[in-house]
Amino acid sequence: MRPFTYERAIDPEAAVAAVSKAGAKFISGGTNLLDLMKLEIERPIHLVDISRLPLKDIKEEPDGGMRIGAQATNSDVAADIRVRTRYPVLSQALLAGASGQLRNKASVGGNLLQRTRCPYFYDTAASCNKRDPSSGCAAIGGINRGHAILGASDACIATHPSDMAVAMVVLDAEIELLDADRATRRIAIGDFHRLPGTTPHIETALKTGEMITGVVLPAPPEGRQFYRKVRDRASYAFALVSVAVVVATERGTITSARVAFGGVAHKPWRAKEAEAALTGGTATMATYWAAAEAAMAGATGRGHNDFKIELAKRTLCRTLAHAAQEN
């Protein structure tokens, strides 16, 4: 690990001012950043510790939604009775991620900003446009079993590792941001993470010096919420495919539906085509399969990960059937 300096921010405004300096980065739980620093993938010369900022509250909003502070831990959010009752898909997704020890340390803001777990990104001897722009993508033509089938490009086929973000996308969450000029803004989580295109090293819509201060959830959507994660082992593994759904039915007809996938793209993937195929249809396997086909119509395998297309379809159908059954 390379030498670096360190300071603990005393308030959000001081934090964004400190990180605006060249070579500075925020650190909170450090569950991703420290690993990357040890491998010299991340090389900050100054760390700004934001873990003790007063951004840990989980509170209700006047419109029926909730605001979750960026420094709230994954464990605290998953365990909050209001989250478990009103946003069960979020609690389920959080509990499906990492281990109990990591969830106790990892923050909501850090979860949103974690970087891909592509093995070629972590191997500094391999070509990686995300780590070293214009160097190539070793995953294309390499061992790409866990890589993207949607939204990828010739520059990058990595996937985003977050479970939490998939649930937040299906809930239409917004992310609160603060910059060095003390200006604030909100951005829809669906617009926060970027697809790789020709610049896979630019992963989010964050501006230089901006900090996540919280996540705002609108009032709970109508219908049943479920998160299903398919992985190689029962715990402490990233998703091959995950699905978050919110489905409402009335007398056997689907009145509204929301669908998002994880493990299939460079960002949490909202499947609008699947939602359109579901809404107004009957709650039957034929409808679910039509939605799954629509969701994966643009999917492309790269060899080892071809199986993920069929897996994504089947996972969606099973999750939808479970959600509709519970209505």
Side-chain angles (χ1 to χ4, degrees):
M1 185 180 289
R2 299 189 177 203
F4 60 88
T5 54
Y6 168 92
E7 73 173 285
R8 178 173 292 157
I10 57 174
D11 57 54
E13 290 75 18
V16 291
V19 88
S20 298
K21 302 171 184 176
K25 276 190 171 292
F26 293 125
I27 186 168
S28 182
T31 56
N32 188 204
L33 179 59
L34 291 178
D35 287 341
L36 296 174
M37 289 174 65
K38 291 173 184 177
L39 293 170
E40 296 193 6
I41 295 169
E42 292 277 10
R43 301 175 181 178
I45 60 175
H46 185 63
L47 291 182
V48 181
D49 186 345
I50 57 175
S51 63
R52 300 192 184 186
L53 294 182
L55 299 173
K56 297 184 179 183
D57 289 346
I58 304 171
K59 56 187 180 181
E60 299 180 39
E61 295 284 275
D63 63 357
M66 293 190 72
R67 183 187 182 280
I68 301 170
Q71 291 306 309
T73 67
N74 290 0
S75 290
D76 285 346
V77 178
D80 188 283
I81 188 61
R82 296 163 297 180
V83 174
R84 292 169 58 192
T85 303
R86 298 162 63 183
Y87 306 98
V89 67
L90 177 56
S91 181
Q92 293 164 15
L94 284 164
L95 292 174
S99 65
Q101 295 93 330
L102 287 173
R103 291 195 298 269
N104 288 341
K105 191 67 176 173
S107 67
V108 166
N111 188 307
L112 291 170
L113 293 173
Q114 63 182 307
R115 306 197 69 185
T116 184
R117 263 56 177 192
C118 171
Y120 296 104
F121 172 72
Y122 275 79
D123 180 1
T124 54
S127 300
C128 176
N129 288 318
K130 184 179 288 293
R131 189 185 64 246
D132 184 15
S134 300
S135 65
C137 176
I140 299 176
I143 300 173
N144 48 43
R145 182 173 177 271
H147 288 71
I149 54 175
L150 291 167
S153 71
D154 290 337
C156 182
I157 58 171
T159 58
H160 193 271
S162 175
D163 292 288
M164 181 196 76
V166 181
M168 287 188 171
V169 164
V170 87
L171 292 171
D172 286 333
E174 291 186 323
I175 301 173
E176 289 184 343
L177 304 171
L178 174 70
D179 68 18
D181 295 324
R182 300 188 179 185
T184 61
R185 65 178 178 123
R186 285 188 184 182
I187 184 170
I189 190 171
D191 298 326
F192 182 72
H193 298 101
R194 294 167 46 114
L195 291 177
T198 58
T199 56
H201 59 290
I202 304 174
E203 299 173 346
T204 71
L206 277 176
K207 300 175 183 177
T208 301
E210 275 190 318
M211 179 178 71
I212 299 174
T213 55
V215 174
V216 179
L217 301 173
E222 180 183 359
R224 298 282 295 184
Q225 306 174 21
F226 286 100
Y227 184 78
R228 187 181 298 276
K229 181 177 182 178
V230 181
R231 44 190 164 178
D232 284 326
R233 56 182 185 268
S235 66
Y236 199 50
F238 295 103
L240 291 170
V241 169
S242 65
V243 176
V245 302
V246 182
V247 181
T249 61
E250 183 177 346
R251 298 179 182 179
T253 298
I254 300 170
T255 56
S256 64
R258 299 184 189 183
V259 176
F261 287 93
V264 298
H266 201 257
K267 60 184 287 185
W269 189 267
R270 184 75 178 263
K272 293 286 189 178
E273 299 84 359
E275 296 172 1
L278 288 166
T279 304
T282 56
T284 62
M285 191 55 68
T287 301
Y288 307 151
W289 191 254
E293 293 280 9
M296 292 295 123
T300 302
R302 298 281 181 164
H304 295 95
N305 68 345
D306 291 351
F307 76 98
K308 291 179 75 170
I309 300 174
E310 187 72 13
L311 179 61
K313 294 178 184 179
R314 292 176 180 270
T315 303
L316 177 58
C317 288
R318 184 178 178 187
T319 310
L320 288 168
H322 183 43
Q325 183 181 24
E326 295 291 332
N327 268 275

